[in-house]
Amino acid sequence: MARVGVLRQYMATVLVNLLGVSYGMISGWSSGALPTLQTPTGSPLEYGAITQQQASWIGGALCLGGILGTLVGGVIVEQIGRKWTAWVAGIPLVVCWLLVIVADHPYYLMGARFLGGFAGGIEFVVTPLYVSEIACTSHRGTLSSLLILSVCVGVELAYLAGAFLHYHSIPWASIGVPLFFLVSFCILPETPSHLAKVQKLEAAEHSLRYFRGIRTEKDTVGDEEYVRELQLLQRMHTGQTTAKDPGAAVLSWSDFTSRHARNGMLICVTLMALNQFCGCFYMMNYAQSVFAASGSVLSLPASLSVIVVGLIQLIGCYVSTLLVDRIGRKILLLVSSVGLTLGQSVFAAYCYGQQLGYDLAAYGWLPLVCFSVIVFLGTVGVGTMPFVVLAEIMPQKIKGFSTTFCMAINWTFAFVALKYFSTLSVAMGMHGILMFFAICSFVGVLFVMLCMPETKGKSFQEIQYMMEK
């Protein structure tokens, strides 16, 4: 494998994951912006201070956009290709920041978050496909893991911007990321696999050579992986793969009623519910509000506390990529769920004690520690493993449909979390919503322990046999 080819794979992966960075920025933007927008005096909008109901819609609009984006992405990724689907996702990210710039009413901000979620929905469909189809085997795992990491980077940048930039300066700084993506990504070639599927074999070979750093036939001598990949492209072009068999692509009801499909769908949908109802996504989007409601945090303002938490999230994401193939998916999910149960419970007890009027000044560090533990363990397991399991556990024939379906379910759960949990936190108190998250995490512990198979180190055939038992 030519070194220049590896560098091109990394370059293309970094560029496509700028979508993740930009999506992470609009996702994390609400953490610092909503408290500012709800300030009774000095609101940055001509409309004035927004209500709690309006704030919940601004938060939840991200997920409504994600649902639509997932469905649209699942359709156009096969129609216009991986490259141009990713490029299209950059346009709503530019528009969403333009809406924030010109916003004088909460409706503008709801629209901005909807467009950001729409782009995120497309991104989570197309980025894994694009990266897996350009990467060589030895680098595929590392390159694929950059998706969640890029989102975490974007969230941390949003936290930094919220702490150190004026409200009106943030969108001007943020819009540069999707603009740079739109300008730079269009020069890259389409993936070899997609080009071969649409009967463009010569272009597919050129693309494969580009991403493998091969200039002449002499460079292919001894490169067995390139030869195998080229043969696969030729079979795709001539219609010898099962994907070209008209009968192979037609789904029937029996495909979804097999024991493997039913068990796989149950596990994946439950993990998607755990992914959202454990509280991590909600707390990252409303981090400043959570800290403000929990009291003093080591004498740090809430805006600086979330920066610390964002860094911990980045570390957790990196640790997850190191451990997933070493100790397994089930262990990571168990450790994560148990840690979330304990962390949310302790955090809830602290907030309840404050509400009762106890002097907890000596424990002012506890919210930051609990929040950090929740974010770290959530990112290591519950935040990332459901998507790994989804790609492994479903039957191959319905994997495309089930991926789109489960991602749409995930976005729906996320909308419920962002739209209604902020209202519930006002009605139940911060301690009440935290205990709800703790209970959901404990249910996740029981489910993973009793129903979740381990897929580490198993081939798709072995997983199929295990799921049909």
Side-chain angles (χ1 to χ4, degrees), residues 174-233:
S174 302
I175 200 172
V177 177
L179 283 175
F180 179 78
F181 165 79
L182 289 174
V183 172
S184 59
F185 191 71
C186 62
I187 66 175
L188 294 175
E190 177 60 86
T191 68
S193 298
H194 180 74
L195 289 170
K197 288 178 183 177
V198 296
Q199 303 299 298
K200 297 181 179 179
L201 182 60
E202 185 176 352
E205 291 184 18
H206 283 301
S207 177
L208 183 62
R209 286 173 176 267
Y210 175 84
F211 287 116
R212 300 299 178 263
I214 293 174
R215 297 181 179 178
T216 64
E217 289 297 329
K218 185 172 65 174
D219 296 332
T220 67
V221 177
D223 194 336
E224 296 181 1
E225 183 175 355
Y226 171 79
V227 173
R228 289 196 301 270
E229 290 178 313
L230 184 59
Q231 290 173 346
L232 177 60
L233 295 179

Side-chain angles (χ1 to χ4, degrees), residues 283-304:
M283 294 175 74
M284 292 304 294
N285 276 265
Y286 293 106
Q288 284 201 33
S289 300
V290 173
F291 275 125
S294 64
S296 175
V297 187
L298 291 177
S299 300
L300 288 176
S303 60
L304 295 182

Side-chain angles (χ1 to χ4, degrees), residues 279-344:
C280 291
F281 186 65
Y282 165 83
M283 294 175 74
M284 292 304 294
N285 276 265
Y286 293 106
Q288 284 201 33
S289 300
V290 173
F291 275 125
S294 64
S296 175
V297 187
L298 291 177
S299 300
L300 288 176
S303 60
L304 295 182
S305 298
V306 297
I307 293 175
V308 176
V309 172
L311 289 173
I312 293 171
Q313 184 187 38
L314 280 173
I315 296 171
C317 185
Y318 179 67
V319 170
S320 177
T321 63
L322 295 178
L323 297 180
V324 61
D325 286 321
R326 297 186 181 184
I327 68 175
R329 289 73 160 140
K330 184 170 184 174
I331 297 298
L332 283 179
L333 280 167
L334 273 176
V335 171
S336 177
S337 299
V338 170
L340 287 172
T341 302
L342 295 175
Q344 302 278 21

Side-chain angles (χ1 to χ4, degrees), residues 9-10 12-14 16-17 123-124 126-151 317 321 324-325 384 387-388 391:
Q9 293 170 38
Y10 273 85
T13 302
V14 169
V16 76
N17 277 297
E123 176 218 352
F124 276 94
V126 68
T127 300
L129 285 173
Y130 183 85
V131 172
S132 65
E133 291 181 4
I134 68 167
C136 58
T137 303
S138 57
H139 294 274
R140 185 173 297 138
T142 301
L143 293 176
S144 297
S145 68
L146 294 181
L147 171 59
I148 301 299
L149 184 62
S150 69
V151 176
C317 185
T321 63
V324 61
D325 286 321
T384 54
F387 307 106
V388 176

Side-chain angles (χ1 to χ4, degrees), residues 412-431:
T412 303
F413 289 153
F415 169 74
V416 172
L418 293 189
K419 174 65 179 71
Y420 296 106
F421 286 179
S422 59
T423 304
L424 282 177
S425 69
V426 175
M428 301 169 56
M430 185 56 65
H431 66 281

Side-chain angles (χ1 to χ4, degrees), residues 5-294:
V6 174
L7 291 176
R8 286 172 178 172
Q9 293 170 38
Y10 273 85
M11 176 193 69
T13 302
V14 169
L15 286 179
V16 76
N17 277 297
L18 288 178
L19 288 172
V21 174
S22 190
Y23 164 72
M25 292 175 76
I26 190 62
S27 179
W29 167 85
S30 61
S31 174
L34 291 183
T36 302
L37 292 165
Q38 291 178 282
T39 304
T41 58
S43 173
L45 298 183
E46 292 182 12
Y47 172 86
I50 65 173
T51 65
Q52 178 62 36
Q53 182 73 4
Q54 290 169 331
S56 69
W57 274 110
I58 292 173
L62 183 85
C63 304
L64 291 179
I67 296 171
L68 181 61
T70 298
L71 300 177
V72 171
V75 173
I76 66 174
V77 73
E78 297 296 343
Q79 301 298 320
I80 65 175
R82 284 73 163 121
K83 170 188 171 179
W84 291 113
T85 298
W87 192 87
V88 165
I91 298 175
L93 288 169
V94 173
V95 177
C96 85
W97 288 117
L98 289 175
L99 285 176
V100 176
I101 291 172
V102 303
D104 57 7
H105 191 281
Y107 290 152
Y108 285 81
L109 301 179
M110 294 173 195
R113 289 270 290 181
F114 179 88
L115 288 175
F118 180 78
I122 297 176
E123 176 218 352
F124 276 94
V125 171
V126 68
T127 300
L129 285 173
Y130 183 85
V131 172
S132 65
E133 291 181 4
I134 68 167
C136 58
T137 303
S138 57
H139 294 274
R140 185 173 297 138
T142 301
L143 293 176
S144 297
S145 68
L146 294 181
L147 171 59
I148 301 299
L149 184 62
S150 69
V151 176
C152 294
V153 169
V155 170
E156 178 65 6
L157 290 175
Y159 290 166
L160 289 168
F164 298 111
L165 295 180
H166 187 272
Y167 173 87
H168 291 295
S169 300
I170 294 174
W172 286 107
S174 302
I175 200 172
V177 177
L179 283 175
F180 179 78
F181 165 79
L182 289 174
V183 172
S184 59
F185 191 71
C186 62
I187 66 175
L188 294 175
E190 177 60 86
T191 68
S193 298
H194 180 74
L195 289 170
K197 288 178 183 177
V198 296
Q199 303 299 298
K200 297 181 179 179
L201 182 60
E202 185 176 352
E205 291 184 18
H206 283 301
S207 177
L208 183 62
R209 286 173 176 267
Y210 175 84
F211 287 116
R212 300 299 178 263
I214 293 174
R215 297 181 179 178
T216 64
E217 289 297 329
K218 185 172 65 174
D219 296 332
T220 67
V221 177
D223 194 336
E224 296 181 1
E225 183 175 355
Y226 171 79
V227 173
R228 289 196 301 270
E229 290 178 313
L230 184 59
Q231 290 173 346
L232 177 60
L233 295 179
Q234 291 169 342
R235 290 198 298 271
M236 288 181 178
H237 175 71
T238 56
Q240 294 176 15
T241 60
T242 57
K244 295 297 292 181
D245 179 5
V250 177
L251 297 179
S252 63
W253 181 246
S254 61
D255 294 323
F256 298 93
T257 56
S258 68
R259 185 176 180 83
H260 184 181
R262 286 186 284 108
N263 289 343
M265 193 67 76
L266 172 65
I267 290 171
C268 290
V269 170
T270 303
L271 289 180
M272 292 301 163
L274 177 61
N275 176 263
Q276 293 301 328
F277 295 152
C278 71
C280 291
F281 186 65
Y282 165 83
M283 294 175 74
M284 292 304 294
N285 276 265
Y286 293 106
Q288 284 201 33
S289 300
V290 173
F291 275 125
S294 64

